[in-house]
Amino acid sequence: MQNLKGKRIVVGITGGIAAYKTIEFIRLLRKSEADVRVVLTAAAAEFVTALTLQAISGNPVSQSLLDPQAELAMGHIELAKWADAIVIAPASADFIARLRVGMANDLLSTICLATASPIYLAPAMNQQMYRQTATQENLQALVRRSVHLIGPNSGFQACGDVGAGRMSEPAEIYDALCQDLSVLQDLAHLKVAITAGPTREAIDPVRYISNHSSGKMGFAIAEAFAMRGAEVTLISGPVNLATPNNVKRIDVVSAQEMWQVTLKTAVQNHIFIGCAAVADYRVAEIADQKIKKASDEMQIKLVKNPDIIADVGHLRENRPFTVGFAAETQNVEAYAKDKLNRKNLDIICANNVAGGQVFGADQNALQLFWQTGSASLPQNSKTELAKQLVNKIVEKYNEKQ
């Protein structure tokens, strides 16, 4: 029995016959000395009773969003802040759909919307409902928002069908939760700085030069480090992404701003990762007023921007373990290795962006190079790829120490 002693777990139960299994899951949590609060939806109350769940969890069961007694003690905001993790088992197709669009029309959905803690879903539904495009799109959207899925399993269902959609067994849900929570703090001794997203180089007050970087990879890396307890500073160009939980974010716009913030920040960290797509050049003279369309041609003089990752890599004092990214359209390995040496990096992460298939996408693949070796991280979601990359970075960082 892995130990979750002292962990504060909100267990949400939605409507479905699999709700009876959740009683055993709560028993496992309590046996591991976790503190459990149960939130029961109206539909779930048709399958399991609040009295049973109160007896198993050792705490009152929360059911109503508008319960005045709950608001005085452990209301939806209090529960959302209190939880180390929220586990919804079973997670019905209806609840998954409501969570995807951000509804807050009952206590459980409101807690999920108000929390900064990780959310785990154990889907349970008829196999045809699970296979529906709408359900799969909802699940994929939630995964992109860093909601964790546990299962479902395949097999015989209460309705008589056979297929995917059975809720994972209580022990499987428990083990998955233990695996995640047990590593949350293993990197608490590390300070990590990461750059992400594009930069914008102004032409005049309304125009700028930029690139297609979405920032998703850098944000995923920041989240992966933060989930394991590292102190993370994320230096971000202009992106439309939410800040990962437990990450300090510094917003910048231009390459020069990112360079200034990075050099000040990098020396205060153990690891620096330059994932941003920094503009190589900026406009020499930014117009004070909007440039009017006067002719068929316009010439803009560009000057070179600072090479942020190279400047960090060549720091003489307090140099962090330095990881760079190389987005290439050809000769990926040769160009990456050249940058590794020329910029004095510990690791370089190369990806092939020919055709623009990486920028803005939710998946990626990386080739890693360091002085004595290399590794390939195959195509995967950027969230999962970031976790694999963090493992490799920490491995090489520890070797160097």
Side-chain angles (χ1 to χ4, degrees), residues 183-240:
V183 301
L184 282 179
Q185 300 302 314
D186 72 328
L187 301 182
H189 61 291
L190 289 180
K191 292 183 178 182
V192 183
I194 303 166
T195 62
T199 62
R200 291 179 180 175
E201 311 305 321
I203 298 173
D204 61 22
V206 298
R207 301 182 181 92
Y208 58 83
I209 299 170
S210 189
N211 57 63
H212 294 295
S213 175
S214 66
K216 289 179 180 179
M217 192 71 233
F219 274 61
I221 297 168
E223 180 178 47
F225 268 110
M227 284 183 64
R228 294 173 61 176
E231 182 179 325
V232 181
T233 301
L234 179 61
I235 304 165
S236 177
V239 297
N240 186 28

Side-chain angles (χ1 to χ4, degrees), residues 54-66:
Q54 178 174 311
I56 296 296
S57 68
N59 287 301
V61 174
S62 300
Q63 293 181 266
S64 174
L65 177 61
L66 302 177

Side-chain angles (χ1 to χ4, degrees), residues 73-153:
M74 292 290 289
H76 62 281
I77 298 300
E78 287 77 10
L79 274 172
K81 293 179 178 178
W82 174 85
D84 290 320
I86 297 172
V87 183
I88 301 168
S92 66
D94 173 74
F95 184 83
I96 289 167
R98 290 192 289 119
L99 183 64
R100 189 252 172 109
V101 297
M103 293 182 70
N105 58 344
D106 63 9
L107 179 59
L108 183 56
S109 59
T110 304
I111 289 171
C112 290
L113 199 61
T115 193
S117 300
I119 298 173
Y120 297 80
L121 299 180
M125 65 198 72
N126 168 267
Q127 56 88 21
Q128 186 61 39
M129 294 172 67
Y130 178 70
R131 289 168 51 197
Q132 284 289 342
T133 300
T135 301
Q136 291 301 312
E137 289 179 349
N138 289 338
L139 290 170
Q140 291 166 16
L142 289 171
V143 168
R144 289 195 294 270
R145 300 208 311 252
S146 301
V147 172
H148 306 269
L149 299 185
I150 303 173
N153 292 339

Side-chain angles (χ1 to χ4, degrees), residues 18 30 47 82 92 104 109 117 122 127 130 241 243 254 271 276 315 331 370 374-375 396:
R30 294 287 290 138
F47 295 91
W82 174 85
S92 66
S109 59
S117 300
Q127 56 88 21
Y130 178 70
L241 296 172
T243 306
S254 69
I271 296 172
L315 285 171
N331 300 326
W370 54 94
S374 63
K396 294 303 172 185

Side-chain angles (χ1 to χ4, degrees), residues 164-389:
R166 282 174 55 94
M167 189 177 89
S168 297
E169 295 303 314
E172 294 175 316
I173 301 171
Y174 175 82
D175 287 343
L177 186 64
C178 284
Q179 183 177 1
D180 271 14
L181 295 185
S182 65
V183 301
L184 282 179
Q185 300 302 314
D186 72 328
L187 301 182
H189 61 291
L190 289 180
K191 292 183 178 182
V192 183
I194 303 166
T195 62
T199 62
R200 291 179 180 175
E201 311 305 321
I203 298 173
D204 61 22
V206 298
R207 301 182 181 92
Y208 58 83
I209 299 170
S210 189
N211 57 63
H212 294 295
S213 175
S214 66
K216 289 179 180 179
M217 192 71 233
F219 274 61
I221 297 168
E223 180 178 47
F225 268 110
M227 284 183 64
R228 294 173 61 176
E231 182 179 325
V232 181
T233 301
L234 179 61
I235 304 165
S236 177
V239 297
N240 186 28
L241 296 172
T243 306
N245 294 334
N246 302 315
V247 169
K248 176 185 176 183
R249 177 171 169 177
I250 302 174
D251 288 318
V252 298
V253 176
S254 69
Q256 286 189 303
E257 286 180 286
M258 185 173 283
W259 175 71
Q260 291 170 353
V261 173
T262 296
L263 288 188
K264 181 179 178 181
T265 304
V267 294
Q268 302 169 3
N269 287 266
H270 301 101
I271 296 172
F272 172 75
I273 303 168
C275 192
V278 183
D280 293 325
Y281 294 88
R282 68 182 185 275
V283 177
E285 295 185 11
I286 303 171
D288 293 331
Q289 304 295 327
K290 179 183 175 182
I291 300 172
K292 297 299 182 180
K293 184 169 60 177
S295 64
D296 292 337
E297 295 182 355
M298 181 176 70
Q299 292 185 345
I300 300 174
K301 181 180 179 181
L302 302 178
V303 295
K304 200 169 186 179
N305 271 323
D307 191 328
I308 297 175
I309 193 69
D311 287 351
V312 174
H314 286 98
L315 285 171
R316 294 185 178 182
E317 295 183 4
N318 300 317
R319 176 190 179 276
F321 185 89
T322 306
V323 180
F325 271 70
E328 303 292 349
T329 58
Q330 60 181 339
N331 300 326
V332 175
E333 181 174 346
Y335 286 137
K337 287 182 175 179
D338 174 65
K339 289 181 179 179
L340 175 74
N341 294 316
R342 183 163 41 85
K343 301 188 180 190
N344 195 36
L345 308 181
D346 295 290
I347 299 176
I348 192 158
C349 311
N351 55 7
N352 190 333
V353 298
Q357 68 267 34
V358 172
F359 289 126
D362 294 316
Q363 292 197 327
N364 198 359
L366 293 174
Q367 291 178 267
L368 312 185
F369 301 97
W370 54 94
Q371 290 298 336
T372 58
S374 63
S376 293
L377 302 183
Q379 186 88 2
N380 208 331
S381 71
K382 289 182 177 178
T383 299
E384 291 304 315
L385 193 68
K387 294 177 182 178
Q388 297 172 23
L389 178 59

